Amino acid sequence: MAELVDAALLLRRIPYGDTSLICHFLTERHGRIALMARGARRNKSSLRAGLSPLRLLSITWRAGRSGMGTLLDVDCAEPLLDEAGLLEGLELLAVAAGLFQEGDPHGFAETREALGMLASRKAPEGLLAASWLLLERAGWIGDLDHCWQCGNPGLETATMFWQQAQLVCAACGGGAEVSAGLRKGIRGVLAQPNVRLGARDAEQWRAMIGLILKSQGLRAPDTFRV
């Protein structure tokens, strides 16, 4: 079988046997794939040092004839996040792992864009904005200017509602209020790195994301559990 090379982000490492790993990657041209990294847990393995999350990787592998392919080589670049953002970066990867399943052709560009947003913003807005961006890019949410049920635009000063993990207008029903001020704040955080939210607004945004993940049957990272 021919060898394949692609840029990749490492999503998960699962121990296999005594010395190997099953690695899940988001790749630039091949989507999400799972590969066997044989012997990668051995101290002298050439793969061991390169299998680091939150770095841009270049991986070489050989596809399996009928099942999982085999990882042959991995090179890694500088970290995509500084040390202070590593925990939030891992939580963001957990969101991406739920959104983009094996065989999905998407995920690499979306996750790299979200990691860039996380790197440019302080906590807690960084993880909130990056996770919201991923949900939007995956097609799970609409914009903040329209009712997600009927499509009618929400007035800029009107209160809308959060109902069953959807943003709805008053005509489509009630729920938890999502004020015009919160929607403006979210848009601001998504657009500019220096915008900050009040603690109450940040907590409501966090809960909204958690409910979206829960509604899709995904195990939410600790930050978003509701």
Side-chain angles (χ1 to χ4, degrees):
M1 300 289 288
E3 293 184 4
L4 301 168
V5 180
D6 206 347
L9 297 169
L10 177 63
L11 285 180
R12 299 179 65 194
R13 296 178 300 189
I14 304 171
Y16 183 84
D18 293 332
T19 62
S20 299
L21 293 169
I22 296 174
C23 298
H24 290 254
F25 298 96
L26 289 173
T27 66
E28 187 172 22
R29 298 188 302 277
H30 297 82
R32 180 168 174 171
I33 60 174
L35 299 173
M36 178 69 69
R38 300 189 186 282
R41 294 160 64 194
R42 293 193 181 106
N43 290 334
K44 294 183 179 181
S45 170
S46 61
L47 300 175
R48 184 183 178 99
L51 289 172
S52 299
L54 302 173
R55 292 173 180 262
L56 181 62
L57 308 176
S58 176
I59 61 173
T60 303
W61 77 98
R62 184 178 292 113
R65 294 185 181 276
S66 59
M68 187 180 301
T70 300
L71 183 66
L72 302 176
D73 192 23
V74 56
D75 291 317
C76 62
E78 292 299 310
L80 296 170
L81 298 171
D82 61 28
E83 188 172 345
L86 293 183
L87 181 58
E88 289 187 324
L90 292 175
E91 292 203 307
L92 184 63
L93 289 183
V95 174
L99 293 178
F100 306 107
Q101 299 299 310
E102 189 171 350
D104 192 331
H106 306 291
F108 176 85
E110 294 86 347
T111 303
R112 191 172 181 192
E113 182 184 7
L115 286 167
M117 179 169 284
L118 177 60
S120 67
R121 286 155 176 78
K122 296 180 179 179
E125 286 85 0
L127 182 58
L128 298 175
S131 299
W132 191 267
L133 178 66
L134 267 183
L135 291 167
E136 185 178 53
R137 296 291 188 264
W140 283 23
I141 61 175
D143 62 33
L144 293 165
D145 299 318
H146 295 80
C147 173
W148 296 357
Q149 284 191 21
C150 68
N152 287 335
L155 297 175
E156 196 165 314
T157 58
T159 295
M160 297 183 74
F161 302 90
W162 195 249
Q163 181 187 88
Q164 297 180 346
Q166 291 194 67
L167 185 69
V168 300
C169 63
C172 288
E177 291 188 2
V178 182
S179 68
L182 174 56
R183 300 200 310 275
K184 180 180 179 181
I186 292 173
R187 284 192 293 266
V189 172
L190 292 170
Q192 299 181 33
N194 60 344
V195 175
R196 306 305 303 270
L197 295 179
R200 185 173 180 178
D201 282 349
E203 173 58 23
Q204 185 174 359
W205 195 12
R206 182 204 65 78
M208 289 165 65
I209 295 170
L211 287 171
I212 295 170
L213 297 174
K214 186 176 180 179
S215 74
Q216 298 296 327
L218 296 182
R219 183 179 180 276
D222 290 343
T223 296
F224 298 115
R225 289 185 184 173
V226 292

